[in-house]
Amino acid sequence: MPHSTDSDSTLARYSRDSADLLYSNSLSGSLINIVTVTALAFGFPGDHHAALKFWWWATMMVIVVARLIDAEHWRRSLRHTDYDGRAAIRRLATGVIITACGWCFYSLAVFDTVGTLELAGLICVIAGMASGATNVFSANRLIATAYVGILVLPLSIQGIVSGMQTWQTLGILGIAYFAVTATTAKRAALFTHKAIVLKSYNTELMEEMEKEKNVVGRINQELTNAYAQLNIVNNELEARVKRRTDKIYELSALDPLTALYNRKAFHSHLRRRLVSCEQQGKSLAVLFIDLDGFKKVNDSLGHQIGDEVLVNTSQRLLNRVSDKHNLCRWGGDEFLILMEECSDQEIIEFSEELIASVCQPISTSAETVTIGATIGISSYPQHGKTAEQLIQLADIAMYSQKKVMNPAPTVFSDVMLINLQRDQRIRDGLANALREDQFHIVYQPIISNSTGKTSNCEALLRWTFDGEVISPDEFIPVAEKYGFIRKIGAWVLEQACIDAQSWVDKSIAVSVNASIIQMLAEDMESTIKKALAISKIDPQRLHLELTETVFSSDTPTLQTKIARIQELGVKICIDDFGTGYSSLSQLQSLAVDVIKIDRAFINRLDGPGRAIIQAAMHIAKALNYEVIAEGIETEEQAKEIKEMGLKYMQGFLYARPMKKEQLVQWLENQSDTTVIDLPKIAHNP
């Protein structure tokens, strides 16, 4: 074995090399055993030991086959891998010793009863195998010595104690033969050991040399690459400095795409004009122009087409401005125009002309596109006296007009600032609303006409901020605009599922509103799975309500999202159906489960509302949807809706939205009745 100072890796390699040598010789040894065992068992017919020989032969075949299987496993799975050599040697040694014991048993069992010829043959076979063992097992002296000893010594001792002089002589010779063979095995093992150790050390040395060679090569390559990269960087820096030096004047004043004044240059120009207006007592107006629909052009046709649209639009604006210094590209799709000594009416008329000009179709290299414009206006000295104030207030006016989606130009007013400040207050409040536990959920039941019982409850989010109850119509758009809606929506979904699981009647579903931003988010499916897992609610009891605005979004993507959510067992409902976005083709492609008729049509049952509801019912029947009528407030409305055949109704006639504790009591009261005698709840959280 290697010296105690050898590393673990060297010992492991030594063991594997020894095992490899032992296993490589095992096939020939196994074949010899098969041949000799078969010859001795069946080569002397008519023997009264036939049964013993057969069972001995069968046992030896099992042992040999087991050794062959082990050898084949080594050949196929272990060889050329970093396997445990010592474990492999132990397995092989076990097979060898068992084989030797099998021979020992047979030789002792038939010694006194077989003929001289057969016994002589047996002795010759054993002597031959003992002699061959010194070479076959030279990689392990203990295996070789044990194998020869088990083969020779018991038979030799049997001959000595037999009382027959001939066999006694053979027994003594056998013991001497064992001694000689053991000595030979020791020498062969020592020689093999040295060869294996030398091979192991040579292999380790070669591996270390290869590693060192690779390290040196890698370092040289890295140095070469570093020098090359350094040269490239230096060249690029020199070229970049030159380009920047060449364009520094242009970039300091002009927008590189439109060649209009950039933000910095226009800001300086506006400050100078304000000083002049103050000195001369003149008025001045700032027009803040934001393009409508430009983002859609960029997203659908690409930034190259978007740039063409910006260049074309800037030229149209420039054509209507007498002094090019009074026009700038403020950033993105925003432009500013400065006007001096103009009346309010002249400014409005000029702004309308600008909008009309911008709205004209634009021919690009891809296709003809159409965009719009929203314009906000602020005036000096009426609204502000600094450049910063005027630009900010014109921006506020533009933003306020954009919210109402009115293309007419608008002049700043204090109301706009108040509304903006409220939006900012709501935005700041929403940032901490979840953490400060300011939200709560109320539920409004949906009644089945066939049973008079609650089939579903719609979860409605409520927010109390600084003692004020903020309407969802006010805070939800702000949450969507500033990116809070996904976290808030996930909380509502999870809390509603938990509440629904606490209801006594586990057949009642819960409807949760989801915005298009939530639906298109990558994590929407995992959010739903999490809510279902936490609440342990049956997915069939969860309905997601989407407003018809989803039909104005990316339909193929939404279709895939809805299909994946429906695969979970969750149902999809279209809320506010009939308010203007949906179409038959979109309804069919999205394959939702439920549609809710908007309350506007319920309030017009004596007019076109009835026809629209009937049409919606026909559509739902054709597409296999359920239909819910919401906004039922009077007995007359309920009666007419029932006569029209709608199955589900929701509205103040049955119950107003209520907190979860009230809902539990409401459902318990309802479960105690078997007829429609629905309790009314006047409280509206």
Side-chain angles (χ1 to χ4, degrees):
M1 292 294 292
H3 296 295
S4 59
T5 57
D6 290 341
S7 65
D8 291 341
S9 60
T10 303
L11 289 171
R13 185 181 291 109
Y14 175 86
S15 299
R16 286 194 296 273
D17 289 342
S18 299
D20 287 347
L21 185 58
L22 291 170
Y23 272 105
S24 64
N25 295 326
S26 63
L27 177 60
S28 58
S30 298
L31 293 177
I32 291 172
N33 271 281
I34 292 173
V35 172
T36 54
V37 167
T38 303
L40 289 173
F42 304 109
F44 298 92
D47 194 343
H48 62 279
H49 288 297
L52 172 65
K53 290 182 177 182
F54 173 78
W55 287 111
W56 172 71
W57 173 83
T59 302
M60 292 296 286
M61 290 303 104
V62 171
I63 296 171
V64 172
V65 168
R67 290 179 60 190
L68 288 174
I69 292 173
D70 179 48
E72 184 65 13
H73 169 68
W74 165 83
R75 188 180 70 84
R76 289 179 176 271
S77 304
L78 302 181
R79 188 171 56 169
H80 307 310
T81 67
D82 294 336
Y83 66 95
D84 188 347
R86 284 174 288 188
I89 292 173
R90 286 195 295 271
R91 288 197 306 275
L92 183 138
T94 301
V96 169
I97 297 304
I98 293 174
T99 303
C101 291
W103 278 105
C104 177
F105 165 78
Y106 178 74
S107 62
L108 294 178
V110 302
F111 180 82
D112 293 327
T113 56
V114 298
T116 303
L117 180 60
E118 184 175 350
L119 185 59
L122 174 62
I123 293 173
C124 290
V125 168
I126 290 176
M129 288 193 296
S131 176
T134 58
N135 292 323
V136 173
F137 303 125
S138 61
N140 193 293
R141 180 172 62 87
L142 293 178
I143 295 176
T145 304
Y147 183 77
V148 173
I150 295 172
L151 286 178
V152 174
L153 289 179
L155 185 60
S156 299
I157 294 172
Q158 179 72 10
I160 292 173
V161 301
S162 65
M164 299 178 61
Q165 184 177 359
T166 301
W167 295 120
Q168 289 176 338
T169 302
L170 288 174
I172 294 172
L173 291 175
I175 292 175
Y177 179 76
F178 167 72
V180 173
T181 304
T183 302
T184 303
K186 180 178 179 181
R187 292 176 179 174
L190 180 60
F191 177 81
T192 304
H193 162 73
K194 292 180 179 180
I196 292 175
V197 170
L198 181 61
K199 175 180 176 296
S200 177
Y201 283 142
N202 285 341
T203 301
E204 185 175 355
L205 180 60
M206 292 299 294
E207 289 177 354
E208 291 296 327
M209 290 176 63
E210 186 65 24
K211 289 180 181 178
E212 294 295 332
K213 180 181 177 182
N214 291 338
V215 170
V216 172
R218 186 169 63 253
I219 292 174
N220 288 335
Q221 185 62 43
E222 289 176 354
L223 288 174
T224 301
N225 294 339
Y227 286 131
Q229 191 65 31
L230 183 59
N231 289 331
I232 293 173
V233 171
N234 286 336
N235 293 335
E236 288 181 351
L237 286 175
E238 291 176 0
R240 192 178 301 171
V241 169
K242 184 178 184 303
R243 288 194 299 269
R244 288 183 177 180
T245 302
D246 293 340
K247 293 184 177 181
I248 190 167
Y249 174 76
E250 177 184 355
L251 294 177
S252 66
L254 300 181
D255 173 62
L257 178 64
T258 63
L260 301 178
Y261 257 176
N262 59 23
R263 179 183 298 216
K264 181 179 179 181
F266 181 82
H267 201 279
S268 299
H269 175 66
L270 177 57
R271 284 201 300 267
R272 290 193 299 270
R273 296 314 305 154
L274 283 171
V275 171
S276 176
C277 288
E278 183 180 8
Q279 293 172 349
Q280 300 176 26
K282 295 181 179 180
S283 64
L284 177 149
V286 172
L287 280 61
F288 198 111
I289 307 169
D290 183 85
L291 302 184
D292 301 329
F294 177 75
K295 184 178 185 300
K296 187 175 182 180
V297 173
N298 247 357
D299 293 343
S300 60
L301 300 179
H303 290 278
Q304 180 179 347
I305 304 303
D307 288 347
E308 293 182 30
V309 171
L310 289 175
V311 171
N312 187 288
T313 301
S314 65
Q315 188 59 48
R316 293 182 182 185
L317 297 176
L318 189 59
N319 291 339
R320 295 187 173 274
V321 176
S322 57
D323 185 352
K324 67 177 183 179
H325 299 106
N326 290 341
L327 171 64
C328 94
R329 182 188 178 197
W330 189 246
D333 60 345
E334 298 171 339
F335 297 85
L336 292 183
I337 292 179
L338 184 156
M339 298 181 66
E340 295 185 48
E341 280 298 288
C342 295
S343 67
D344 292 345
Q345 184 61 32
E346 289 174 332
I347 295 172
I348 293 295
E349 290 177 356
F350 177 75
S351 299
E352 290 174 345
E353 292 174 1
L354 288 179
I355 293 175
S357 176
V358 171
C359 289
Q360 294 298 313
I362 299 173
S363 297
T364 69
S365 58
E367 59 180 84
T368 300
V369 300
T370 302
I371 60 173
T374 301
I375 300 180
I377 304 168
S378 65
S379 298
Y380 167 85
Q382 180 182 356
H383 300 133
K385 295 185 178 181
T386 67
E388 292 80 6
Q389 287 177 337
L390 291 172
I391 294 172
Q392 180 186 16
L393 298 180
D395 186 13
I396 291 173
M398 181 277 298
Y399 171 74
S400 299
Q401 193 71 356
K402 215 172 186 67
K403 282 183 64 178
V404 299
M405 294 186 291
N406 186 342
T410 185
V411 179
F412 171 79
S413 68
D414 291 337
V415 174
M416 295 178 182
L417 182 59
I418 293 172
N419 291 337
L420 178 64
Q421 290 171 343
R422 180 166 176 81
D423 272 3
Q424 292 174 337
R425 175 174 172 268
I426 291 175
R427 178 196 63 191
D428 296 340
L430 286 173
N432 302 311
L434 277 176
R435 184 170 62 252
E436 297 181 2
D437 198 24
Q438 296 172 354
F439 289 119
H440 70 276
I441 302 175
V442 295
Y443 297 90
Q444 185 175 30
I446 298 172
I447 307 302
S448 169
N449 280 332
S450 61
T451 64
K453 302 292 186 180
T454 300
S455 68
N456 198 350
C457 290
E458 181 179 1
L460 302 168
L461 182 61
R462 297 292 184 262
W463 180 34
T464 303
F465 177 48
D466 286 347
E468 178 187 2
V469 177
I470 311 294
S471 168
D473 292 337
E474 185 176 10
F475 74 77
I476 290 297
V478 177
E480 291 178 338
K481 178 180 179 181
Y482 293 104
F484 302 124
I485 192 64
R486 288 172 61 185
K487 286 187 178 180
I488 294 174
W491 178 85
V492 173
L493 182 64
E494 184 175 311
Q495 190 61 48
C497 289
I498 293 173
D499 290 347
Q501 189 64 0
S502 68
W503 301 339
V504 175
D505 188 348
K506 302 302 183 185
S507 66
I508 299 177
V510 61
S511 296
V512 181
N513 292 281
S515 73
I516 185 60
I517 295 175
Q518 290 175 266
M519 289 299 297
L520 294 179
E522 293 182 359
D523 62 347
M524 184 59 178
E525 187 178 353
S526 61
T527 299
I528 294 172
K529 289 180 179 178
K530 180 183 177 183
L532 294 173
I534 291 175
S535 63
K536 296 182 172 57
I537 188 176
D538 183 351
Q540 296 286 341
R541 294 179 61 199
L542 175 60
H543 296 187
L544 290 184
E545 290 197 12
L546 316 176
T547 63
E548 277 196 321
T549 55
V550 299
F551 292 111
S552 63
S553 62
D554 184 358
T555 301
T557 301
L558 185 63
Q559 182 179 358
T560 302
K561 292 275 188 180
I562 288 178
R564 291 180 65 88
I565 291 172
Q566 286 174 323
E567 288 176 0
L568 301 176
V570 177
K571 294 185 177 181
I572 302 296
C573 173
I574 297 298
D575 197 6
D576 303 331
F577 179 77
T579 54
Y581 287 95
S582 59
S583 68
L584 289 176
S585 61
Q586 289 169 319
L587 274 177
Q588 187 176 15
S589 64
L590 290 180
V592 298
D593 303 289
V594 184
I595 58 175
K596 293 181 78 171
I597 304 296
D598 188 72
R599 67 180 66 246
F601 303 112
I602 304 300
N603 294 331
R604 301 173 64 188
L605 286 174
D606 55 348
R610 175 182 292 274
I612 292 176
I613 293 173
Q614 290 175 336
M617 290 179 62
H618 288 302
I619 294 172
K621 183 177 180 181
L623 298 178
N624 196 28
Y625 297 162
E626 294 290 350
V627 181
I628 299 173
E630 61 178 344
I632 308 296
E633 298 185 0
T634 67
E635 295 287 355
E636 291 76 10
Q637 290 174 337
K639 181 180 178 181
E640 290 191 56
I641 291 297
K642 290 178 183 178
E643 291 175 352
M644 294 172 67
L646 265 74
K647 294 182 179 180
Y648 302 97
M649 294 189 292
Q650 177 183 3
F652 291 171
L653 176 64
Y654 305 105
R656 291 178 179 270
M658 62 192 85
K659 293 184 178 180
K660 61 181 180 179
E661 297 83 5
Q662 295 173 300
L663 177 66
V664 169
Q665 183 62 46
W666 196 90
L667 294 175
E668 289 177 355
N669 292 341
Q670 190 185 54
S671 66
D672 292 337
T673 64
T674 57
V675 297
I676 302 178
D677 184 16
L678 303 175
K680 308 297 189 297
I681 293 207
H683 176 63
N684 183 15

